[in-house]
Amino acid sequence: MLKKFIENPVLSTVISIIIVILGILGLTSLPISQYPDIAPPTVSVTAAYQGANANVVMKSVIVPLEEQINGVENMTYMTSTASNNGSATITVFFKQGTDPDQAAINVQNRVTKATSLLPEEVIKAGITTSKELSSQAYSFLLYSNNPAYDQKFLDNYLRINIMPQMKRVNGVGSTQIYGMQEYSMRIWLKPDAMASQGLIPDDIVAALKEQNIEAAPGKLGENSNQSVQYTLKYTGRLEEVRQFEDIILRSAKQGGLLRLKDVANVEFGAQDYTTALLTQGKVSSGGAISQTSGANARELIIACENILKEASKDFPPGVVYHTFLNANDFLDASIEKVISTLVEAFILVFIVVFIFLQDLRSTLIPAIAVPVAIIGTFFFLKLFGFTINLLTLFALVLAIGIVVDDAIVVVEAVHAKLDQGAKSAKNATIHAMSEISGAIISITLIMSAVFLPVTFITGSAGVFYKQFGLTLAVAIVISAVNALTLSPALCAIFLKPHHPDEHTGPTGFLPKFYAGFNTAFQAVTDKYIGGVRFLIRKKWLSIAGIAVFAGIFYFLIKTTPTGFVPNEDSGAIFGDVILPPASTLARTEEITNMVDSIARSIPEVELSSRLAGMDLINGFGGSYGALFIRLKPWDQRKNKNQDVTSIVNELFAKTGHIKGAKIIFFASPTLQGFGNNNGFEVQLQDKTGGNYANFAET
């Protein structure tokens, strides 16, 4: 069988070409990501109870929903948060490998069962169920250099012109606007005027329900003897301040009509004034995008960037945007570094093989075999549903040094037959392959057996090992196919019989280099052989050496710090500012402005933004604040103390003097889907059935 490949090099070449073509097709269609999709699927349920405090939201909204959602198929646990602005969020986590679409459907079915137990206002506002990861893939800030545009304008410009397009991007799980100032008609009641007229707020609400509605008045003259018919028109929902001011409440005591403007001030403002956002010290708005589980983060981010670039052409004068968090920045830099390492590894392997084989023709054979194996692997990555990520690329870097072995074995075996006097390269190749084909197959099976077992590891870590192990195993198998088909055919074509009596070899530098290298290598070989002979005579030294290294190995395992993945410098820092409960938004703004000014004074900071009224840990509240700090690109931060960890420590040191608030900083996460920060998260659960006040004291 192998003889056919040697005698028909075209067949061997076609097999390799097919492998390369399939690999290129896989390479061009594979999604690119930083790491495999290892985060467990999550489903988020959100609701709003306007005007309710956190305690009411917890009891009347979250508890009924949790009781129904609990126990949904493949669920591991869930967390809930209630805020004083009436918002409720339940995040349900599922086992690794669960279909996120089916999980969302199952949760939605459970939510439907709970609707009859929820307040009417919550049902009217709507309950949203969506699959998404718990961390942000992309976020940006929109700010104005023109004082004519306030946060209310920017929030609504973002909500109307940009976010609807981003919601339509494939893979977007949810969109968030940092500001809450949505356009709304504000009715500020006058307590003294209300009391003098004997009115209560419910009377105003009732009047609004009666007079601020969409209605279908019907038609006149239909199916009659009249010559014309009319469709009646109705004003519908009111839109202007004047229309709201003229809403009639009742007849006045002294005659005439009592209108809304008599007991309230009406203005066109924002629905909520609970947050305030500044970027670079200027009025700002901002948005964040979370991806769905299994979505292609790279394509999602590129699509969102294109939407912003296109929208920026029509921005009002003085309005600009700036990217805060972009997972592609770190991904592109990492992929570029790995690809350069891949090229460097191939060049080094080529040089080493050339130095030892000392023949360009012989070196070309493994040099051709390596790209075939590496490129062909991408087809199988596509077949397995993998992505081009740091793990699969790292496996390919490691594979270069492994897949070249099979081709070298073939070349060395053929050279051995030529040294023994074979008259033609074809006969030498046929003879050599009859002896080593079994060894090549054995080597392949053994190497594959080393990496395949890791594919059975479960959980998030198992996804890492699976992609790494299978990538290596596939590359090794393809290299074996090359060694049995392409490499023998190339040996039969490229190599020539050895003629010891002829002295027609190259002259100049190379022969001298080869002679010196061979002499030095032979000396090293002789010393190695001497060392082996010595250890054979002194077996106890070998055993003692094994014991010593085993002890060192055990010691290092116990003392070396452990971690899931290394904490990388992603170029972004988050900050949380927590003031005492009941602190006003104005006081929170004062503290966050101080922290923001300190952050902007650090040379490595490219952009800083502060948000009052919300933080990344507790959610919404007047006593909470958040910082979003974007660092300069990595090529501008090459010195020792310019990495993200050093800057976080510097921020802690420079804000340590600020009293009256707890201020913390943390780098943005290395892994998407495991929260908004590096490191780990601790949550305490009160199993005593107590209240929040006692739990906080504990």
Side-chain angles (χ1 to χ4, degrees), residues 285-306:
S285 181
I289 306 297
S290 296
Q291 70 184 84
T292 59
S293 180
N296 188 328
R298 179 179 174 80
E299 292 182 0
L300 179 151
I301 292 170
I302 291 174
C304 292
E305 285 183 312
N306 291 336

Side-chain angles (χ1 to χ4, degrees), residues 425-646:
K426 181 183 288 187
N427 292 334
T429 303
I430 293 173
H431 191 189
M433 292 307 297
S434 65
E435 295 179 354
I436 66 169
S437 57
I440 291 174
I441 294 173
S442 300
I443 291 172
T444 303
L445 293 176
I446 291 171
M447 292 295 290
S448 300
V450 171
F451 296 106
L452 287 178
V454 299
T455 63
F456 296 102
I457 300 175
T458 58
S460 297
V463 178
F464 268 31
Y465 293 117
K466 180 180 180 180
Q467 297 210 6
F468 179 81
L470 283 179
T471 302
L472 269 174
V474 168
I476 292 168
V477 171
I478 295 177
S479 74
V481 174
N482 282 335
L484 298 174
T485 56
L486 181 63
S487 296
L490 294 178
C491 286
I493 296 172
F494 288 170
L495 301 186
K496 294 181 178 180
H498 296 175
H499 301 288
D501 297 333
E502 295 182 6
H503 300 283
T504 57
T507 58
F509 171 75
L510 282 178
K512 294 179 181 179
F513 174 76
Y514 292 154
F517 176 80
N518 291 338
T519 302
F521 185 73
Q522 187 60 45
V524 173
T525 303
D526 292 339
K527 290 183 179 180
Y528 169 73
I529 293 173
V532 172
R533 287 173 177 168
F534 173 77
L535 291 175
I536 290 174
R537 293 193 302 269
K538 307 288 187 179
K539 294 182 178 62
W540 64 270
L541 282 176
S542 300
I543 298 173
I546 293 174
V548 170
F549 279 105
I552 295 174
F553 177 66
Y554 178 80
F555 173 76
L556 291 176
I557 285 179
K558 293 295 184 181
T559 57
T560 303
T562 60
F564 189 25
V565 295
N567 288 334
E568 302 284 359
D569 184 348
S570 55
I573 298 173
F574 294 110
D576 255 24
V577 180
I578 304 173
L579 276 71
S583 298
T584 63
L585 185 66
R587 177 58 180 162
T588 304
E589 287 188 77
E590 182 182 343
I591 297 293
T592 52
N593 285 341
M594 294 170 60
V595 180
D596 179 55
S597 62
I598 291 172
R600 283 189 281 135
S601 69
I602 297 176
E604 291 79 13
V605 172
E606 181 179 58
L607 175 139
S608 177
S609 178
R610 68 96 174 129
L611 175 64
M614 188 197 83
D615 71 0
L616 299 172
I617 297 177
N618 302 285
F620 292 94
S623 59
Y624 303 138
L627 273 294
F628 307 96
I629 302 169
R630 170 84 175 184
L631 303 182
K632 291 180 178 178
W634 295 278
D635 56 2
Q636 299 180 29
R637 297 187 289 113
K638 295 181 178 180
N639 295 334
K640 182 179 179 181
N641 295 324
Q642 291 184 314
D643 61 287
V644 67
T645 303
S646 300

Side-chain angles (χ1 to χ4, degrees), residues 75 113 135 143 156 192 245 331 391 398 450 484 542 544 605 669:
M75 167 189 159
K113 294 181 180 179
S135 57
Y143 58 97
N156 287 278
D192 53 347
E245 288 178 338
L331 172 62
L391 286 177
L398 186 60
V450 171
L484 298 174
S542 300
V605 172

Side-chain angles (χ1 to χ4, degrees), residues 347-358 363 517:
I347 294 173
L348 287 174
V349 167
F350 181 87
I351 293 172
V352 171
V353 171
F354 178 72
I355 290 174
F356 278 87
L357 295 181
Q358 299 176 4
T363 305
F517 176 80

